[in-house]
Amino acid sequence: MKNTTRKEWLNSLLCIVTPVLQALEKEELKKTMPLDFHGERAPFAPLEAFGRSMLGLAPWLEAEGLEGEEKELQETYRSLAVRCIDKATDPESADFMIFNEGGQPLVDTAFLCHALVRAPRQLAGSLPERVHRNLAAALRSSRQIVACNSNWIFFSAMVEAGLYVLGEKDYDKMRIAYALRVFDGWYKGDGVYGDGEMFHWDYYNSFVIQPMYLDLAEMFVNLGEEFRELEKRVAIRAARYASVLERMIAPDGSYPILGRSICYRFGAFQMLSQAALEHRLEGSLEPAQVRCALTAVIRRCMENQEMFDQNGWLQPGVCGCQPELAEGYINVGSLYLCSAVFLPLGLPVSDPFWADEDADWTSRKVWSGGHVQIDHAID
């Protein structure tokens, strides 16, 4: 059993998200978080950092059957997460966040809602009544932001899913159905969607599109026969795209630097991590090889100590601090989408993902002269 690898993953995740959560719990996130990098984005940075941290943390918070030190840590962070939701959504809190001004808050309200979807018992189901009420009001307030005709329509849909998970009766089925239907028409083949009508060669199929599409399609499969058939297609495509991501991990854990938002680092592999978490990997991928591939990526990024500043906050870049890689819409809070690679921590220790012996991933097999099974393209 690869307890040492699991511990390494957990330590890495907590190293990333703890400064955000501890500052927010004390209502000091706005005061202590570095806001000078692309400072014009400062008003949105706290919700970005919090929503994206919770996105990756949620499956571990929801996991059952943990023992010992990890169980104790989990209990601590479950309580911490609930307290942070309180501080983020209480209008009287010094760290009350912006959910409804400009455009960016819709994005990170959706990431926070995706965390609720991934941890319906330990997050959505564990909130005191006052916090529940404040959170629901904050989510509703984001509705006034109009989504772009791109991956953003999933943000509007995921906010409604968050309200649904909270048990709110006024969630809007039409926003959900619209996103599910439109993106089906933007499918380009072989597991990849356009971001809008056009294809973009970047990692947004993994940052946003496929993880949200998969969870929304599964959650709302009973909207009708149309959506039952759609869910099957979405699941097949997501599994295929996860395989594509695995192929992109080089023998040394590096990966292609392609397209927008590359400073989200190993968040680029969210869909591969989600496929492992939900046992959706294609037959040619063994869970252990995915674990080893993702571990190589995590180490490749985190071995550069300039990934963090002297106070433990993330810095922009892929390998260390490389601010020239960050687009104008990226601030320090944006970087916390990297937490999404850690989704398999929601699996029990006994799952093959953690328990099976180490295995080479595809590129290591190929470039060592080994034999490899490669899946054919899908429609």
Side-chain angles (χ1 to χ4, degrees):
M1 183 169 59
K2 304 302 175 187
N3 286 320
T4 56
T5 301
R6 184 181 175 95
K7 186 174 182 180
E8 178 185 350
W9 276 49
L10 181 58
N11 287 344
S12 297
L13 171 60
L14 297 185
C15 178
I16 291 166
V17 305
T18 297
V20 175
L21 301 184
Q22 287 185 342
L24 180 54
E25 178 190 26
K26 294 183 285 188
E27 297 186 31
E28 295 179 351
L29 182 58
K30 294 179 181 179
K31 182 170 68 175
T32 60
M33 184 179 176
L35 298 174
D36 53 340
F37 179 72
H38 290 171
E40 70 280 5
R41 308 290 295 181
F44 311 123
L47 181 58
E48 288 190 76
F50 179 49
R52 297 172 190 222
S53 293
M54 295 305 300
L55 177 74
L57 190 64
W60 180 65
L61 298 179
E62 189 77 354
E64 295 294 333
L66 302 183
E67 297 178 351
E69 179 184 2
E70 184 174 353
K71 177 64 174 176
E72 294 177 6
L73 274 171
Q74 184 193 48
E75 291 294 340
T76 297
Y77 277 83
R78 282 173 172 174
S79 299
L80 177 59
V82 170
R83 293 195 296 275
C84 285
I85 292 173
D86 181 14
K87 301 301 184 182
T89 60
D90 182 356
E92 301 302 317
S93 166
D95 271 336
F96 178 62
M97 296 180 179
I98 297 174
F99 291 87
N100 59 359
E101 297 177 14
Q104 185 64 42
L106 175 61
V107 178
D108 298 292
T109 303
F111 284 136
L112 180 57
C113 286
H114 205 171
L116 300 178
V117 168
R118 286 173 168 167
R121 289 177 292 108
Q122 297 301 331
L123 290 180
S126 296
L127 301 176
E129 177 56 33
R130 178 184 59 82
V131 180
H132 180 122
R133 187 168 58 250
N134 284 340
L135 175 58
L139 302 189
R140 289 189 185 95
S141 74
S142 74
R143 286 171 167 168
Q144 70 185 55
I145 301 174
V146 179
C148 308
N149 207 32
S150 65
N151 69 86
W152 277 49
I153 65 174
F154 278 130
F155 299 142
S156 291
M158 188 57 74
V159 169
E160 301 307 315
L163 289 165
Y164 172 79
V165 171
L166 287 172
E168 300 297 303
K169 303 300 184 184
D170 65 337
Y171 75 96
D172 188 347
K173 294 180 182 179
M174 283 303 299
R175 295 186 189 217
I176 296 164
Y178 177 74
L180 297 178
R181 286 169 172 152
V182 167
F183 256 93
D184 192 40
W186 289 339
Y187 182 62
K188 303 303 178 186
D190 205 18
V192 178
Y193 296 90
D195 191 358
E197 293 183 359
M198 300 299 293
F199 170 72
H200 293 262
W201 206 337
D202 54 32
Y203 291 101
Y204 269 81
N205 265 261
S206 193
F207 290 142
V208 176
I209 295 168
Q210 304 240 26
M212 288 195 177
Y213 205 174
L214 187 59
D215 284 347
L216 288 167
E218 183 176 41
M219 178 171 288
F220 296 102
V221 68
N222 290 326
L223 286 178
E225 181 60 29
E226 167 193 357
F227 298 99
R228 284 189 284 274
E229 293 302 315
L230 175 66
E231 190 274 338
K232 296 174 186 176
R233 296 195 296 275
V234 170
I236 291 170
R237 296 164 182 172
R240 176 57 182 170
Y241 183 68
S243 295
V244 171
L245 288 172
E246 192 269 351
R247 306 290 192 268
M248 298 178 81
I249 300 174
D252 66 349
S254 61
Y255 54 93
I257 303 304
L258 292 173
R260 302 166 293 161
S261 305
I262 197 66
C263 286
Y264 299 163
R265 291 186 170 91
F266 35 63
F269 295 92
Q270 177 175 197
M271 190 58 248
L272 179 57
S273 293
Q274 182 166 333
L277 172 68
E278 298 177 355
H279 298 134
R280 296 180 183 273
L281 297 172
E282 289 188 318
S284 63
L285 292 186
E286 296 295 332
Q289 79 182 76
V290 174
R291 179 192 73 233
C292 292
L294 292 174
T295 299
V297 173
I298 293 166
R299 289 173 178 169
R300 191 75 174 85
C301 291
M302 296 197 69
E303 67 186 5
N304 191 308
Q305 296 184 1
E306 290 189 352
M307 179 171 169
F308 302 94
D309 71 11
Q310 60 184 1
N311 295 314
W313 299 97
L314 288 174
Q315 299 198 99
V318 176
C319 185
C321 183
Q322 301 161 307
E324 69 279 4
L325 295 180
E327 293 85 351
Y329 56 82
I330 288 177
N331 63 70
V332 171
S334 314
L335 308 177
Y336 286 85
L337 193 59
C338 69
S339 74
V341 78
F342 298 101
L343 301 182
L345 285 167
L347 293 168
V349 175
S350 59
D351 188 272
F353 182 89
W354 297 112
D356 285 359
E357 292 298 317
D358 287 352
D360 283 344
W361 53 101
T362 299
S363 69
R364 289 194 68 172
K365 292 176 183 177
V366 169
W367 291 107
S368 64
H371 296 284
V372 185
Q373 176 187 347
I374 298 292
D375 293 309
H376 296 293
I378 64 171
D379 294 332

